[in-house]
Amino acid sequence: MSRNSRGFSLIELVVTLAILALLASMAVPFAQLVQQRQKETELRAALRQIRTALDAYKQNVKEGRIESPADGSGYPPDLDVLWQGVSDKTKPDASKLYLIRRLPRDPFYPDTAAPPASTWGVRSYASPPDAPAPGRDVFDVYSLSSQTGLNGIPYREW
């Protein structure tokens, strides 16, 4: 009896599903790696942007465009000053200097509803580099994440 078979046998379907499962299990870690790499790129860019704005604030204090207390370090009192603007002493019309358009968030911070300034750890000018602590000003920023980057360095030390 010759039977004209159409379709797939059960064994062919099981083998196909096993191959698809194997491919999917290899794709998930790759997708996670791509996502982590993208967040690392965002972190690098955000740190560069904020640190450039902090340096610009300090330079403007040096040039006399921004008022600073005599005993101050010349760095901003908080991160929000960078995007909210500060009065320009050299302009009689009370215009403001904006050093950054918007304050970026730490991409590794878990709470997406938190204000951007609270997603960063801040280091004051008076604190030592190996034990950053907040103070009267913002000299530097760092990630609050306890994770380690793909390069083996904790994000906190970037």
Side-chain angles (χ1 to χ4, degrees):
M1 238 202 251
S2 168
R3 192 172 110 177
N4 205 0
S5 58
R6 290 188 173 184
F8 297 105
S9 70
L10 180 62
I11 292 175
E12 290 172 326
L13 288 175
V14 169
V15 168
T16 303
L17 286 176
I19 291 171
L20 286 175
L22 178 68
L23 290 173
S25 69
M26 289 175 14
V28 169
F30 181 71
Q32 290 172 340
L33 180 70
V34 168
Q35 183 181 19
Q36 184 177 2
R37 190 169 287 143
Q38 179 184 4
K39 281 186 174 184
E40 285 185 1
T41 302
E42 288 176 36
L43 177 62
R44 240 183 245 106
L47 286 171
R48 186 178 306 117
Q49 191 176 18
I50 293 172
R51 288 172 176 161
T52 301
L54 291 171
D55 292 341
Y57 187 98
K58 173 73 173 175
Q59 184 63 34
N60 282 311
V61 167
K62 249 181 163 176
E63 294 170 358
R65 295 182 73 187
I66 298 175
E67 193 168 336
S68 178
D71 64 342
S73 66
Y75 288 98
D78 57 51
L79 288 175
D80 288 326
V81 169
L82 301 174
W83 68 271
Q84 290 175 344
V86 62
S87 297
D88 186 349
K89 289 186 348 181
T90 62
K91 306 282 182 180
D93 61 352
S95 63
K96 287 189 168 189
L97 286 171
Y98 297 96
L99 302 163
I100 198 169
R101 288 188 181 164
R102 68 171 183 78
L103 189 64
R105 305 178 51 76
D106 180 351
F108 289 99
Y109 195 78
D111 183 10
T112 57
S118 67
T119 64
W120 298 103
V122 294
R123 174 182 165 220
S124 74
Y125 185 74
S127 74
D130 55 344
R136 292 178 31 194
D137 57 14
V138 179
F139 173 69
D140 195 14
V141 293
Y142 58 91
S143 177
L144 295 173
S145 175
S146 60
Q147 297 177 6
T148 301
L150 295 173
N151 60 0
I153 300 172
Y155 294 130
R156 215 181 160 96
E157 297 175 14
W158 282 27

